[in-house]
Amino acid sequence: MADRLSVIVVENDRDRALLIVDSLREAGDFDIHVIGEATGLGRRVKALSPDIVLIDISNPSRDMLEELALASGPMERPVAMFVDRSDDGMTKAAIEAGVSAYVVDGLNPKRLKPVLDAAIARFHLFQRMRTELIETKRALEERKVIDRAKGMLMRARGIDEEQAYALLRKAAMDQGKRVADVAQALVTAAGLLG
């Protein structure tokens, strides 16, 4: 993120929006955009591409929460949501929808900057975890394909696992490819021939 954070404030009450903007200006140097209604929120958020989205709602329903969270791109940026009241399960629903910070009991101007900092930190933590999970799943899938290709080579050539892997590795080096790619090509070819 840039040094000067770009913040979208979603608030339909003009007076509350001005209070939030004033609080943000006191808290730091932000590039602030206010969106007064949720209609077309996703399109406007995408067009402005902010660093963080701050949503202030007095009493959200589950549908409104999910719609606002999805429209504000919680997988692309931190989303902080301030609500006046919340029933049981709304916090969980907000987190599951991707909201980085869900603050009950309204927006307190003195707490705004720490909440935004926490939302940003939490977003980055979960983003790293998502990336690691994707990489781990990919590595596991590659390992399965390599093991399958080794098994095919062991049966076809009557060699052991170490020799089968060495054969895959040599083919990968000769072709300038990764071992997983060579193994996938072997498995695909065997599937076509079988």
Side-chain angles (χ1 to χ4, degrees):
M1 286 186 213
D3 290 339
R4 186 172 193 224
L5 292 178
S6 171
V7 179
I8 285 183
V9 175
V10 180
E11 171 58 71
N12 61 358
D13 181 277
R14 188 178 188 285
D15 292 334
R16 280 178 72 123
L18 290 173
L19 174 68
I20 294 168
V21 168
D22 289 344
S23 299
L24 283 169
R25 289 209 168 107
E26 286 178 24
D29 186 25
F30 298 102
D31 181 21
I32 305 166
H33 302 276
V34 177
I35 296 177
E37 62 180 70
T39 309
L41 180 63
R43 182 176 28 81
R44 288 187 277 175
V45 168
K46 191 171 187 167
L48 292 169
S49 189
D51 295 312
I52 188 166
V53 176
L54 189 155
I55 301 171
D56 187 35
I57 304 172
S58 57
N59 190 21
S61 67
R62 287 189 193 281
D63 291 341
M64 177 190 290
L65 175 84
E66 194 170 302
E67 181 181 329
L68 286 172
L70 292 175
S72 55
M75 299 305 174
E76 300 167 25
R77 68 191 50 83
V79 175
M81 186 173 282
F82 294 86
V83 298
D84 291 339
R85 296 180 298 284
S86 182
D87 68 12
D88 290 343
M90 286 300 280
T91 302
K92 184 176 185 243
I95 299 303
E96 286 174 355
V99 173
S100 303
Y102 184 78
V103 181
V104 180
D105 199 17
L107 190 141
N108 178 336
K110 291 179 181 140
R111 294 187 316 188
L112 187 58
K113 179 76 165 93
V115 168
L116 291 181
D117 290 344
I120 291 168
R122 185 171 188 273
F123 172 79
H124 287 302
L125 173 71
F126 278 99
Q127 194 175 43
R128 278 192 306 275
M129 288 170 57
R130 278 191 297 270
T131 301
E132 288 173 11
L133 180 61
I134 289 167
E135 289 172 2
T136 301
K137 284 181 176 179
R138 183 185 49 75
L140 183 59
E141 289 302 314
E142 287 180 353
R143 172 66 23 217
K144 286 180 185 177
V145 169
I146 290 170
D147 286 345
R148 192 165 169 206
K150 285 191 306 187
M152 293 167 58
L153 288 171
M154 290 164 60
R155 282 187 301 279
R157 296 215 174 176
I159 57 178
D160 66 19
E161 184 177 357
E162 191 175 310
Q163 291 170 317
Y165 186 75
L167 197 58
L168 284 172
R169 190 176 61 232
K170 180 176 180 343
M173 289 189 331
D174 290 348
Q175 297 173 29
K177 294 182 178 180
R178 299 174 337 123
V179 172
D181 295 335
V182 171
Q184 183 62 58
L186 179 62
V187 169
T188 301
L192 291 173
L193 296 173

